[in-house]
Amino acid sequence: MEYCLFTILAILAIASAALTITLKDTVKSALALVFHFFMLAGIYLTLSAQFLAIMQIIVYAGAIMVLVLFVIMLLSTGDENEALLRKSKLKQAFAFTISLAMIILIASYITLEFGIKPIVTDFNTLNGSVNAVGGELYTNFLFPFEAIGILLLSAIIGAVMLSKKKI
Amino acid sequence: MLQEFYLILSAIIFTIGTVGVLTRSNAIVIFMSIELMLNAVNLSIITFASFSNDPVGQVFVFFVMAVAAAEAAIGLAIVIALYRLKKTMFIDNLKLLRN
């Protein structure tokens, strides 16, 4: 079961990573990268790192890729925008299919792994659970955690300063 | 046995990211290839952390993700600033530091 799931996820991850660097259209390339991040989140689940799988989807597939797509849209030229409008039906169908496939994949994995025959009864004892990672994060790694906050604040200020026209 | 498969997958994804950085000329695609490489490294750290039953490695990946988020904000701001200066996203046209 685990080998089979890993093989499928690994093949899809490699294929979408290859698509990311080969596709000429930047928007399609970014969508392939979003798909790759979802596949990596599935691979993290097979490694029983649930917290990081969710973080992968929220931070990478959510925040960072939305930022990348926003910049692509902001910097694209006029003719590319027309091409986007023409093919928007196809793109919507593509996005819908991918989202549906992802939901089915994750739901079937959860059902097969935890629904029919629960392997682990107490999820808090797993080493990748929110409990375990959070316990380490807020005790032994409290200072790096606070330092990350300062780093993110300076990154926000730096991004605003860099992208302002006149400072 | 299975651990090697994860590490091989990580190496393949890292190689794909490296090829992307070296061959493409679009700044945003290069940025996305760097994200691919970061994720490959994250995957190998999680593999070692999971197979040695230690949540500390996953805390480290959490910090890598936070730094990647900061890097994304700064990198894209640099791309926007470059586009505003030179009206191009292609790094072949950017030779400000040459000569």
Side-chain angles (χ1 to χ4, degrees), chain A residues 69-117:
Chain A
L69 279 171
F70 180 73
V71 170
I72 293 170
M73 305 288 177
L74 193 69
L75 301 187
S76 62
T77 52
D79 46 355
E80 276 178 13
N81 278 335
E82 281 175 14
L84 278 180
L85 282 176
R86 244 186 298 124
K87 286 191 241 162
S88 70
K89 278 279 189 290
L90 185 67
K91 273 193 203 305
Q92 281 170 4
F94 179 68
F96 178 72
T97 315
I98 293 232
S99 323
L100 199 65
M102 282 322 301
I103 290 168
I104 290 172
L105 197 65
I106 292 173
S108 60
Y109 174 70
I110 290 170
T111 313
L112 283 174
E113 280 294 293
F114 308 118
I116 297 170
K117 48 176 182 73

Side-chain angles (χ1 to χ4, degrees), chain A residues 2-18:
Chain A
E2 204 184 1
Y3 280 90
C4 179
L5 193 70
F6 171 76
T7 313
I8 295 170
L9 288 171
I11 290 170
L12 284 175
I14 292 172
S16 54

Side-chain angles (χ1 to χ4, degrees), chain A residues 2-3 6 10 13-14 17-18 20-24 26 29-30 33 36-37 40 43-44 46-52 55-56 59-60 64-65 67-68 71-72 74-77 127-129 132-133 136-137 141 144-145 148 151-152 154-155 158-159 162-165, chain B residues 1-2 5-6 9 12-13 15-17 19-21 23-24 26 28-29 31-33 35-36 38-40 42-43 46-47 49-59 61-74 76-81 83-84 89:
Chain A
E2 204 184 1
Y3 280 90
F6 171 76
I14 292 172
T20 303
I21 65 161
T22 48
L23 284 175
K24 288 294 162 200
T26 323
S29 172
L33 192 59
H36 173 79
F37 286 154
L40 269 188
I43 289 171
Y44 292 172
T46 66
L47 284 168
S48 77
Q50 301 99 338
F51 174 65
L52 287 173
M55 287 296 292
Q56 172 84 11
V59 174
Y60 275 108
I64 292 181
M65 290 319 291
L67 203 61
V68 169
V71 170
I72 293 170
L74 193 69
L75 301 187
S76 62
T77 52
N127 74 333
S129 66
V133 179
E136 284 288 336
L137 197 59
F141 293 90
F145 183 70
I148 281 290
L151 173 75
L152 285 173
S154 57
L162 274 172
S163 51
K164 263 172 86 86
K165 276 203 182 95
Chain B
M1 184 61 182
L2 194 61
F5 292 155
Y6 284 103
L9 173 67
I12 291 173
I13 295 174
T15 313
I16 291 174
V19 170
V21 170
T23 55
R24 295 298 300 264
N26 191 329
I28 291 179
V29 177
F31 173 79
M32 291 196 285
S33 303
E35 295 292 329
L36 274 179
L38 271 172
N39 271 284
N42 275 354
L43 178 59
I46 292 180
T47 305
S50 178
F51 279 88
S52 61
N53 249 340
D54 193 2
V56 174
Q58 306 199 359
V59 174
V61 173
F62 177 80
F63 289 137
V64 173
M65 279 185 182
V67 173
E71 175 248 335
I74 295 294
L76 290 171
I78 289 174
V79 170
I80 289 179
Y83 186 79
R84 188 170 287 142
M89 276 195 289

